[in-house]
Amino acid sequence: MGTCHASRNGENQDALCCGKNRNFCVISLADGVSACRDAKRGAAIASQAITDLFLNKGDHFLEFEDGQIAELALSHVLFELRRLAVDASHPIEELSSTIASVLIDRKKRRMLCFNLGDGIIMGTGNGKCRVLSMPADSSSGCCVTTTKGAERAARVKRFDIGSLETVVICSDGAWGEMFSGNRLRPEVLQMLSRGEYDPLKDFLAGRDCRDDHSFISLDMRQSRRKSA
């Protein structure tokens, strides 16, 4: 939790989700909009919804066009958010969040990155780290799950896994502390390239972050061994 929420007796409004089956692995991170009354629950619903969708329909999504992926994924998330909004008797906008997700095809060694909002998706391999999906410019606000036409702002990218070993999604509160300007801090680059996520957690905990600072990672080397 960031110090801003902690000082107000609030809660961490980031939500993480992961899942796997015989063919696919999925990790997702949603960052609830702080001004919204039920942002934490909205983020939790969004991350669970997109994780389940990609796990159950991964073979289809890896073949769809980018625009179709964005439209179908967000439609499913909104369907789940509307159900919660009705049950809670308040506007769906109170459940707003960003959402980022990575779908891994364990057998064909390919991946799909989906990113709406100001999260970042990075990958590591051979001692290097690269950005797979950039965050949106949030200086004037950014699109979230309940924004009209959000599917047009979602970034969808596909990659052959190749030499990538791990993939990590970070909320803006986390990556904002990990970068200095437009470069990763040297100590963070070392942690990421080595897959040292416990030290990264300690690094963020010591930064006195105002915003919630969460990340979720997937080690694709373990995934490959388990599926072999």
Side-chain angles (χ1 to χ4, degrees):
M1 188 193 308
T3 57
C4 184
H5 288 159
S7 66
R8 300 172 182 172
N9 295 318
E11 59 182 352
N12 186 339
Q13 294 177 335
D14 294 343
L16 312 177
C17 191
C18 63
K20 65 180 180 179
N21 56 28
R22 184 173 181 177
N23 296 320
F24 305 110
C25 294
V26 179
I27 57 173
S28 303
L29 188 155
D31 180 355
V33 176
S34 297
C36 296
R37 180 171 57 181
D38 218 353
K40 175 67 174 184
R41 290 178 71 196
I45 290 294
S47 60
Q48 184 71 61
I50 201 166
T51 298
D52 291 344
L53 180 67
F54 283 169
L55 271 183
N56 294 327
K57 303 293 183 180
D59 50 346
H60 298 298
F61 274 88
L62 285 162
E63 304 300 332
F64 288 156
E65 297 293 330
D66 291 357
Q68 191 176 13
I69 291 170
E71 183 177 356
L72 291 174
L74 283 172
S75 292
H76 181 68
V77 169
L78 283 172
F79 174 78
E80 297 297 335
L81 291 176
R82 287 191 186 99
R83 292 206 302 180
L84 179 58
V86 169
D87 291 342
S89 298
H90 58 232
I92 191 173
E93 288 77 15
E94 297 295 339
L95 301 164
S96 299
S97 73
T98 66
I99 181 70
S101 186
V102 177
L103 164 64
I104 301 292
D105 185 330
R106 304 168 73 181
K107 292 187 176 180
K108 296 183 180 180
R109 301 285 294 162
R110 54 185 179 164
M111 63 189 295
L112 171 70
C113 296
F114 175 93
N115 195 4
L116 175 71
D118 51 13
I120 196 171
I121 304 174
M122 295 181 286
T124 70
N126 294 333
K128 299 179 180 179
C129 180
R130 64 186 175 112
V131 175
L132 302 178
S133 182
M134 293 284 291
D137 180 1
S138 59
S139 56
S140 300
C142 64
C143 283
V144 293
T145 50
T146 61
T147 302
K148 185 177 181 179
E151 66 277 3
R152 295 191 294 272
R155 282 91 64 210
V156 176
K157 291 191 175 183
R158 310 158 205 263
F159 301 90
D160 289 326
I161 291 175
S163 61
L164 285 176
E165 298 173 345
T166 67
V167 62
V168 57
I169 307 173
C170 303
S171 67
D172 64 320
W175 70 255
E177 299 294 334
M178 294 159 60
F179 280 78
S180 177
N182 61 356
R183 292 183 178 273
L184 278 169
R185 298 180 185 276
E187 63 271 39
V188 173
L189 177 59
Q190 179 174 298
M191 293 176 211
L192 287 173
S193 62
R194 294 179 178 178
E196 297 174 342
Y197 293 111
D198 284 336
L200 178 59
K201 179 181 175 181
D202 294 338
F203 167 84
L204 290 171
R207 294 290 296 177
D208 195 32
C209 310
R210 285 184 53 80
D211 197 4
D212 299 333
H213 39 285
S214 303
F215 66 87
I216 184 169
S217 64
L218 173 66
D219 187 331
M220 292 181 285
R221 295 166 298 180
Q222 293 180 2
S223 173
R224 181 167 68 248
R225 287 196 296 268
K226 290 177 181 178
S227 63

